[in-house]
Amino acid sequence: MKLSKLLKQKLLNDEIVKDSFSEEDIERIAKVLEEFLSSETIDEEVCYNFYKEMKLPYSIVYRSFGLIKEEIKDKQIREKLNKLLNITAKVYIKKEISSLKTLILQKQKHDFLLFKAHEEWIEQIVKAVKNDNLKDFPIVDAKKCKFKKYLSYLESLMICLDVNLCVYIHDLHNLIHTLANSFYVFYKKGYYAESYFVFRDLKEQILKFYNTLNELYMATFTNIEKSFFDLIEILVKSKTLYVAVIDLKNLKTMNSLFNENTVTNAKIILYNKLHNIYKDKKNFLLIQGSSNDFYFIGTDIDFHTFEKEIDHIHKVICETIEINGEKINFDGAIFGIKLDRYTQIQIKDLINYFRFLKQAAKEEHKNIILNNKENHLEDWIKNQIDIKFIKEKIEKKEIDVMFQPIFTAKDNEVFSLEALGRIVDKGKLIPAGMFIDHIYSMNKIAEFDMVVLDKILEKEHLIKQITNRIFLNISFEALKNDEYIKKLNMIIKKIDVDIVLELTEQRFVENLELIESINKNTNTYFAVDDFGSGYSSILLVINLLRRDMIRVLKIDGTLVKGLKDDEFLKKAIKIIVGFRKEFDLHLVAEFVEDKETLEFLKDAGVDLLQGYYLSMPKTIEELLIEKEERIREIVN
């Protein structure tokens, strides 16, 4: 039988091939295949033009060749058929390679950082393949890709608040580079059929990658203000931040003077000017809110640099914008604040604080207000908290407990957890510093401490999975309260966790009988907090030592905070270490907030360490998750 007839018959007998083409197309394919197989050489250009004209999916071509190979017994023809299939695959790759570039252009609707990361890389791939010049093919490891670098930029950190999606996109990114590099290896060796299938997979994964990126950006910019402040909440746990809100003034007046569309378009031009200043800067972020405000974050800078950036932003805002024959002159009020690392705030309080600064700017007729005062935000928030609000929270027992680990200096194991009472408000936990003074002034501290005891008992089974010991701050008022003492005795007897009571107030020095009574009744022991802050604490320690009621000293936080640049404080710490060794006590250093302080304290002989550098206060559930993650890391 003539080869073309055999080929045609085989193709017509296959349902998939037959449904894809007309009988006339199949006949033509069969004839062309016969010509190719009969000729001594295979002309790549002729092959390219034929398949370009026919517009056949490669999967159909691949299946057709497989069907034909079943009927051909001649070894030389089979080899030629394999070669033809391979050349055809190369044709398809060259025909489709530009779709990678089209793909990225379709998805890149805005000048977003993560979309831009692969622009040049994809262009180089397309160019290298189209020009048959693999010397220009970009072999890039995923770890060295621009995308990896851009992930640490503030814009990217704001986009990647959805952890699950970000893990997925990270995995996709690694896969894309693996596929691209595999494609290069196959293509360079002339394995075009294999290259084509890798290419198709590469294209599919790139599409998934950009679709996921699109989801991330859409989710972020749907509620951009929330995303911005969520980013602040995360960043402030590890960095000092400089945050500003930029308010465009007198927009109603401008809308009445000019066409509203003109003003809107002028705002777009202004935003683009500001965005272009910061879009490629790792430690700055400027975004436009859904209202007329712009928002700014700077990290890894000092206050002087912050001031310079804000001045520059204000100058740009005031520059004349010419549009539709009109000259638009915006004016802006900018108010900003320094947020020290580890600042514990609720976002609603920060937003209200910016409103307060905005009002202050109006009243003082200022265009720029930048606040660099230490604890100014915390003091302002304290003044906003209503005493009635706190009273209601205590009466309704809307109180929870967070725990801050105390670690051993020797092997970084959890020695104990310190229990810290928090007021619960709309699912958020308010730090004690924001309300504790009000609780004392209302004489509610014993009532507050009793709820804390109940919460500790409630979480006993979880606490025991981390430690068999907790530290508990105790007030003088609580120890004088019979109801509190009764509850404390009950919980100490009931709970299978040792409780160490922390003493801080000077009044304990004058009432040692009270401490001794609790020691006898509860069989517990004490830790002296803020040791080194005055003669009273030393006297308290001596008297407790005489009665064998003390096991732990906690160094006054101001000594630890300032020791990095103070040789006298370092000597004082060493003296306190000598004191603890003399009396065989544990010594806890609080406020460990950087590596340098940590290393000094270890070398000095402090045996227990606590601070935000090691762990911030967390819920017991968060600490258990961290423990499980550490175990998995060790196992892996």
Side-chain angles (χ1 to χ4, degrees), residues 243-273:
V243 185
V245 176
I246 302 139
D247 177 53
L248 295 182
K249 299 195 295 186
N250 305 319
L251 286 176
K252 286 184 180 178
T253 304
M254 294 182 73
N255 284 332
S256 63
L257 289 173
F258 305 98
N259 179 285
E260 191 171 332
N261 286 336
T262 300
V263 177
T264 300
N265 290 330
K267 281 192 293 183
I268 293 170
I269 293 170
L270 173 59
Y271 171 69
N272 288 335
K273 286 168 71 175

Side-chain angles (χ1 to χ4, degrees), residues 471-485:
F471 280 47
L472 180 64
N473 287 287
I474 189 165
S475 65
F476 185 74
E477 282 79 4
L479 286 186
K480 290 196 305 176
N481 185 294
D482 292 339
E483 194 176 343
Y484 177 85
I485 294 299

Side-chain angles (χ1 to χ4, degrees), residues 140-155:
V140 179
D141 186 272
K143 293 177 182 177
K144 296 179 180 178
C145 175
K146 282 183 183 178
F147 182 81
K148 201 77 173 175
K149 181 181 80 171
Y150 288 158
L151 281 176
S152 61
Y153 282 44
L154 290 183
E155 178 188 306

Side-chain angles (χ1 to χ4, degrees), residues 121-137:
W121 180 67
I122 287 176
E123 283 183 2
Q124 288 174 344
I125 290 175
V126 172
K127 188 178 178 181
V129 174
K130 285 185 80 172
N131 296 339
D132 268 333
N133 185 8
L134 291 189
K135 288 181 181 178
D136 294 336
F137 193 99

Side-chain angles (χ1 to χ4, degrees), residues 545-557:
L545 283 167
R546 287 191 181 117
R547 292 165 172 80
D548 192 29
M549 294 191 298
I550 184 173
R551 297 288 185 275
V552 182
L553 297 178
K554 296 187 83 173
I555 303 172
D556 180 56

Side-chain angles (χ1 to χ4, degrees), residues 223-328:
N223 193 342
I224 187 65
E225 285 98 340
K226 182 181 183 302
S227 300
F228 180 84
F229 284 105
D230 285 346
L231 176 65
I232 290 173
E233 200 169 22
I234 292 168
L235 287 178
V236 80
K237 294 176 182 177
S238 59
K239 291 176 178 288
T240 294
L241 308 180
Y242 293 87
V243 185
V245 176
I246 302 139
D247 177 53
L248 295 182
K249 299 195 295 186
N250 305 319
L251 286 176
K252 286 184 180 178
T253 304
M254 294 182 73
N255 284 332
S256 63
L257 289 173
F258 305 98
N259 179 285
E260 191 171 332
N261 286 336
T262 300
V263 177
T264 300
N265 290 330
K267 281 192 293 183
I268 293 170
I269 293 170
L270 173 59
Y271 171 69
N272 288 335
K273 286 168 71 175
L274 292 171
H275 178 68
N276 287 335
I277 296 170
Y278 295 108
K279 66 179 181 180
D280 293 323
K281 293 185 178 180
K282 177 181 178 181
N283 57 326
F284 293 104
L285 175 65
L286 188 141
I287 58 130
Q288 182 176 16
S290 55
S291 60
N292 295 313
D293 292 337
F294 299 127
Y295 298 89
F296 173 88
I297 302 179
T299 64
D300 304 314
I301 57 174
D302 56 24
F303 190 73
H304 176 65
T305 305
F306 182 47
E307 287 180 308
K308 283 175 63 179
E309 295 298 329
I310 295 302
D311 283 337
H312 182 51
I313 288 170
H314 190 258
K315 285 176 184 176
V316 173
I317 289 170
C318 295
E319 290 173 358
T320 301
I321 295 173
E322 295 190 20
I323 182 170
N324 299 334
E326 303 282 3
K327 291 185 177 181
I328 306 290

